[in-house]
Amino acid sequence: MATQIRPSHPSRISAFKAIILCLLAGLFSTAFAEDWDGSTSKPSSKEIDGVEYYVITNPSELAWFAYQVNEKGENKINAILGNDIHFMDDDSLTSKISLSTIGISNTNVYDGIFDGAGYTIYGLYSKGAIFGYTGENFVLKNFSVKKSDIVTWVARNYGTIEKCNEDNDGAKQIAGFAYLNYGIIKNSFAKNFGIAYTNRGLIEKCNSSGLLGAYYSSDYTNIGFNEIKKGSNRAGIVSDNYGTIKNSSFKPADIVIVDKGNFGGIALYTGKNSTIENCLFRGVVEIKNTSSNSFQVSVGGITARASENAKIINNIAIIDTLVVKGTSYGYVGGIVGHMNGYTSGSTEGGIISGSYANMRIDSLVFPNNSETYYSIYVGGIVGSANLCDLNNSRSNLTIGKGVNIGSKNFLYVSPLVASIQGESYGNSRINSSYGILKTVKNAKNHMYSGVTCEASYSRLNNVYYDITVSTPDTMHAVGKLDGNSTQTNILGKTTAVMQSPAFVETLNTNAGLDDDSGIWQYCEGNYPILVSEGTCEEFYSKYGMSSSSLSSSSSVESSSSTPVESSSSDAESSSSEIESSSSVPILSSSSEESSSSSVIASSSSDESSSSKAETSSSAKSESSSSSKVNSSSSKGTDIAWNTVQPMFNLAVNGMTLTLSNMQGGVVRIFDALGHLVAAKPIASATTSITLQTPGNYIVRVNGASRSVILK
């Protein structure tokens, strides 16, 4: 019997070939995208929740969108990215063709929604900002850029910037998200450039690991930034704050180095009627002067300078090490360097309340100028204060052996306020606070005081310092008190007394004179903390200051500032194989991969909550974009290390991936070319997937992506 040969079906083969060719075309068009030539093309559109969006998939479509806003007056149109946008074929390069700023002038204000959908724009070049003038309805979200030559993202923000991730390496960038913020910036993370240069609105739940203030601009106009100059001052969140900053943190990835300038952990300057509340700074700071000229320095763990009626409330600053080289005079404070709460005609001063500072100064070197006398004021809370109300605060201040101010200079040190003065009788105040000062210095030109070195027109009440820890024999509670000031219950107490329940009662009742405020709480074996800061165990595990580190009065070789919180944590199992993937989408707005989370998924590797510190700056950098938010208490202050947190945990065991901390959805795994190789619905909090082939993969869950190498 003859073998029958089934006839071929050319139509089926052709269709199959067509499908293959289409897939290959898509792959190669993505992998080998051409450099943008300045052209424009109209994108497609779609409706999302009843709102029409243009779907931007390439630079030409983005340029078309900018043209519609700037030239056609379509200032309320919306856009969403459909994929990563590549201005250059090589993502390590930046375009030489400038993209028009969206919202180019105050007559072409962009007032729509721009959703990055978790994707990233690569290689964008703009002479100014990506977005210029924006309106109150403007929303920028789920957005990120890399290798882009821009000054900032938004020149004048009157709308909302949220769930954004700054990870750009542009040389001329001023600030992470906005030059001038009049609106809201929230739930966003800035890796390199802080949050905003000037804030007149609200910054909330934002975190930074990079410094702001490397440059400043004279102003922004229709043609862009008039002038950009290099500056020397540094800050972590904003340069100048005239609005409100809340629940935000700055944890630098490396040592903060300031060349002949000032430093503020959250803000450089906090202006009239502005607020910094519930914020955190922790890091190592070095102020240096490489020239022979003298300069004035202001350093504050929260803000370098504060003005009239500024409110600095419920903040924590940990300066693990401060080194100051070559300053002439100035102010150093654990919370505020210098507070000038008084301006002409004002009746209200500045407020510092509910704050904690832990600062160690390892080096403080003055220029050796025999013809000039210099002085510097160092306070555990405030260096120098004019018209200030300090209450319910405390500090732990250590002066190391490297402090050398020279024979012609003067150093004033207090664990609370080095110098405080009012403008009328008793209108500056220090109330219900305590300080711990540890030093081995006892020089004649050093003045150490338990509460303040000098006070004028001030009222000091219910304030204490530790006489067991404080070593100088010249130390007094108050160095100099003028006739316009009063002091009540200003005493030194032993460590044992200050760690007793009776001392808590003393703080809460003004030494028995008032009703119990309930503000302070007893911590067995440690100093009291605020009730709003959570449990004693929670606080001391995160912020240190245990009595064991302060028990010896003979040496300061061991830091009294124990690690507050690991600058990086132990990674999950096989974390060495889990790599950072900042190029993958942060959040997806697609129907299959949308997320209801209010925070961005970090692209860096997930880390556990253990407190084992790592010393490398790279590890610190990773942790600043991936560590989980730490809440001090559900009933009070909520200090956030980083609101930008991973949305799932990933562990590797051989060829098996185990995912946890998930809230439903679908796990999708892609190979290095972007091909989907596995997908699995999430049916429980923990899901495992075993792959067969070693290689590089991208794991994506609900818009959050992680890169992993299987060997």
Side-chain angles (χ1 to χ4, degrees):
M1 182 176 175
T3 304
Q4 293 184 349
I5 301 175
R6 184 181 298 272
S8 62
H9 296 277
S11 59
R12 294 180 181 177
I13 296 175
S14 299
F16 179 75
K17 288 182 176 180
I19 293 172
I20 296 297
L21 290 173
C22 288
L23 291 173
L24 290 174
L27 173 63
F28 284 100
S29 64
T30 300
F32 303 100
E34 296 182 355
D35 298 348
W36 180 53
D37 59 2
S39 62
T40 64
S41 61
K42 184 178 181 179
S44 63
S45 63
K46 68 177 181 180
E47 188 174 291
I48 304 175
D49 297 329
V51 179
E52 185 179 13
Y53 290 81
Y54 288 104
V55 182
I56 308 295
T57 61
N58 56 58
S60 296
E61 293 176 349
L62 185 59
W64 179 91
F65 187 87
Y67 182 84
Q68 301 306 304
V69 175
N70 297 334
E71 304 299 330
K72 299 295 185 179
E74 300 289 337
N75 66 333
K76 294 185 180 296
I77 57 177
N78 309 308
I80 185 170
L81 299 186
N83 47 246
D84 290 342
I85 307 297
H86 304 269
F87 276 79
M88 304 293 289
D89 176 48
D90 186 347
D91 282 341
S92 67
L93 302 177
T94 303
S95 176
K96 301 298 183 182
I97 303 174
S98 178
L99 179 75
S100 295
T101 298
I102 301 171
I104 193 66
S105 70
N106 55 9
T107 58
N108 296 90
V109 176
Y110 179 54
D111 206 25
I113 301 171
F114 198 101
D115 188 350
Y119 294 107
T120 300
I121 296 178
Y122 293 86
L124 184 154
Y125 166 56
S126 173
K127 295 180 180 180
I130 304 173
F131 302 89
Y133 292 80
T134 63
E136 294 181 355
N137 298 311
F138 167 72
V139 176
L140 177 65
K141 60 183 179 180
N142 308 324
F143 187 75
S144 183
V145 299
K146 286 184 71 69
K147 203 60 185 183
S148 294
D149 190 6
I150 56 177
V151 178
T152 188
W153 287 16
V154 184
R156 294 177 180 263
N157 176 51
Y158 284 88
T160 299
I161 302 171
E162 61 180 332
K163 304 177 188 176
C164 289
N165 188 19
E166 180 279 307
D167 190 15
N168 191 33
D169 52 1
K172 69 178 182 182
Q173 191 161 347
I174 292 176
F177 303 113
Y179 176 62
L180 295 174
N181 178 51
Y182 294 88
I184 299 171
I185 305 175
K186 62 182 181 180
N187 295 322
S188 296
F189 173 69
K191 181 180 179 182
N192 299 312
F193 299 103
I195 304 301
Y197 197 82
T198 299
N199 175 51
R200 296 184 179 273
L202 171 64
I203 295 174
E204 184 174 16
K205 296 182 180 179
C206 290
N207 301 280
S208 168
S209 65
L211 280 167
L212 178 144
Y215 297 87
Y216 70 92
S217 171
S218 59
D219 200 6
Y220 177 81
T221 64
N222 297 1
I223 60 174
F225 291 87
N226 294 334
E227 186 180 32
I228 301 175
K229 296 181 178 180
K230 189 173 182 179
S232 57
N233 300 322
R234 297 289 187 271
I237 300 295
V238 304
S239 177
D240 299 325
N241 178 44
Y242 299 96
T244 298
I245 304 173
K246 299 173 61 177
N247 305 318
S248 298
S249 69
F250 172 46
K251 193 170 64 169
D254 208 341
I255 298 174
V256 176
I257 298 179
V258 182
D259 187 4
K260 198 175 180 181
N262 303 315
F263 170 76
I266 300 299
L268 189 68
Y269 174 72
T270 303
K272 181 179 180 181
N273 297 323
S274 58
T275 299
I276 299 178
E277 182 178 356
N278 199 30
C279 291
L280 170 70
F281 164 73
R282 185 198 178 184
V284 175
V285 181
E286 179 178 341
I287 312 292
K288 63 179 183 178
N289 178 16
T290 56
S291 70
S292 59
N293 300 324
S294 62
F295 79 105
Q296 178 178 329
V297 67
S298 289
V299 177
I302 297 300
T303 182
R305 292 179 175 270
S307 188
E308 177 189 349
N309 202 29
K311 295 179 177 61
I312 314 299
I313 302 171
N314 298 341
N315 300 288
I316 292 178
I318 313 294
I319 303 179
D320 291 309
T321 300
L322 174 64
V323 174
V324 182
K325 299 179 179 179
T327 186
S328 301
Y329 57 100
Y331 315 97
V332 175
I335 299 295
V336 180
H338 177 61
M339 172 167 278
N340 187 14
Y342 175 81
T343 57
S344 180
S346 71
T347 58
E348 296 182 281
I351 297 173
I352 303 173
S353 179
S355 292
Y356 165 63
N358 195 338
M359 177 169 62
R360 177 184 177 92
I361 302 178
D362 277 347
S363 179
L364 187 62
V365 181
F366 283 39
N368 189 13
N369 188 335
S370 61
E371 298 180 357
T372 306
Y373 290 84
Y374 296 115
S375 61
I376 191 164
Y377 294 86
V378 177
I381 300 294
V382 190
S384 177
N386 182 17
L387 198 57
C388 172
D389 185 350
L390 171 66
N391 62 80
N392 295 303
S393 297
R394 68 205 188 280
S395 78
N396 177 29
L397 174 62
T398 299
I399 305 296
K401 292 182 177 181
V403 175
N404 181 15
I405 66 170
S407 60
K408 296 291 186 179
N409 308 305
F410 298 90
L411 176 67
Y412 300 88
V413 179
S414 166
L416 290 168
V417 185
S419 176
I420 185 169
Q421 54 187 317
E423 298 295 331
S424 60
Y425 180 75
N427 66 346
S428 276
R429 297 172 290 272
I430 306 177
N431 294 310
S432 301
S433 301
Y434 71 86
I436 302 161
L437 171 64
K438 188 175 183 182
T439 179
V440 297
K441 291 290 185 179
N442 192 23
K444 65 178 182 180
N445 55 345
H446 292 209
M447 176 178 283
Y448 297 100
S449 297
V451 175
T452 184
C453 297
E454 53 187 30
S456 61
Y457 292 101
S458 302
R459 289 181 290 168
L460 316 178
N461 187 40
N462 199 33
V463 187
Y464 308 91
Y465 67 102
D466 192 318
I467 57 174
T468 304
V469 173
S470 300
T471 58
D473 55 18
T474 57
M475 186 161 174
H476 303 283
V478 178
K480 179 182 178 181
L481 192 74
D482 76 345
N484 298 301
S485 302
T486 60
Q487 57 175 327
T488 306
N489 297 321
I490 308 299
L491 301 169
K493 295 180 178 290
T494 66
T495 300
V497 170
M498 293 181 67
Q499 295 184 357
S500 69
F503 184 60
V504 175
E505 184 179 358
T506 295
L507 290 173
N508 282 333
T509 65
N510 187 15
L513 299 177
D514 300 325
D515 294 334
D516 195 330
S517 65
I519 293 176
W520 296 90
Q521 64 174 308
Y522 170 65
C523 296
E524 185 176 2
N526 270 309
Y527 298 90
I529 67 172
L530 301 177
V531 172
S532 61
E533 292 171 327
T535 68
C536 298
E537 182 179 2
E538 290 173 337
F539 181 86
Y540 280 108
S541 67
K542 288 190 286 188
Y543 306 117
M545 203 181 79
S546 65
S547 59
S548 61
S549 64
L550 300 168
S551 59
S552 173
S553 62
S554 62
S555 175
V556 293
E557 288 302 308
S558 62
S559 173
S560 62
S561 172
T562 58
V564 176
E565 175 126 314
S566 165
S567 57
S568 60
S569 307
D570 284 344
E572 295 285 336
S573 173
S574 302
S575 63
S576 62
E577 300 181 40
I578 303 175
E579 299 183 330
S580 172
S581 178
S582 58
S583 64
V584 296
I586 304 167
L587 289 175
S588 173
S589 65
S590 70
S591 60
E592 290 184 319
E593 301 186 39
S594 63
S595 171
S596 61
S597 172
S598 62
V599 296
I600 305 171
S602 169
S603 59
S604 60
S605 60
D606 226 357
E607 295 179 327
S608 71
S609 59
S610 70
S611 60
K612 181 179 179 182
E614 299 179 43
T615 58
S616 71
S617 61
S618 62
K620 293 180 180 179
S621 178
E622 283 187 7
S623 70
S624 62
S625 63
S626 65
S627 55
K628 298 179 175 67
V629 177
N630 293 301
S631 174
S632 57
S633 175
S634 60
K635 60 182 179 180
T637 305
D638 183 15
I639 297 290
W641 276 100
N642 198 338
T643 49
V644 183
Q645 51 186 311
M647 298 180 63
F648 64 94
N649 299 327
L650 176 60
V652 179
N653 184 9
M655 299 295 293
T656 300
L657 306 176
T658 301
L659 299 90
S660 59
N661 190 33
M662 300 176 296
Q663 303 295 321
V666 179
V667 178
R668 293 178 174 84
I669 301 177
F670 302 84
D671 64 16
L673 296 177
H675 300 140
L676 180 66
V677 297
K680 184 177 181 180
I682 300 171
S684 62
T686 301
T687 297
S688 295
I689 298 177
T690 300
L691 301 182
Q692 302 301 317
T693 305
N696 298 333
Y697 295 90
I698 295 197
V699 183
R700 186 170 178 130
V701 181
N702 298 333
S705 300
R706 299 273 302 280
S707 177
V708 63
I709 300 174
L710 299 183
K711 300 178 180 180

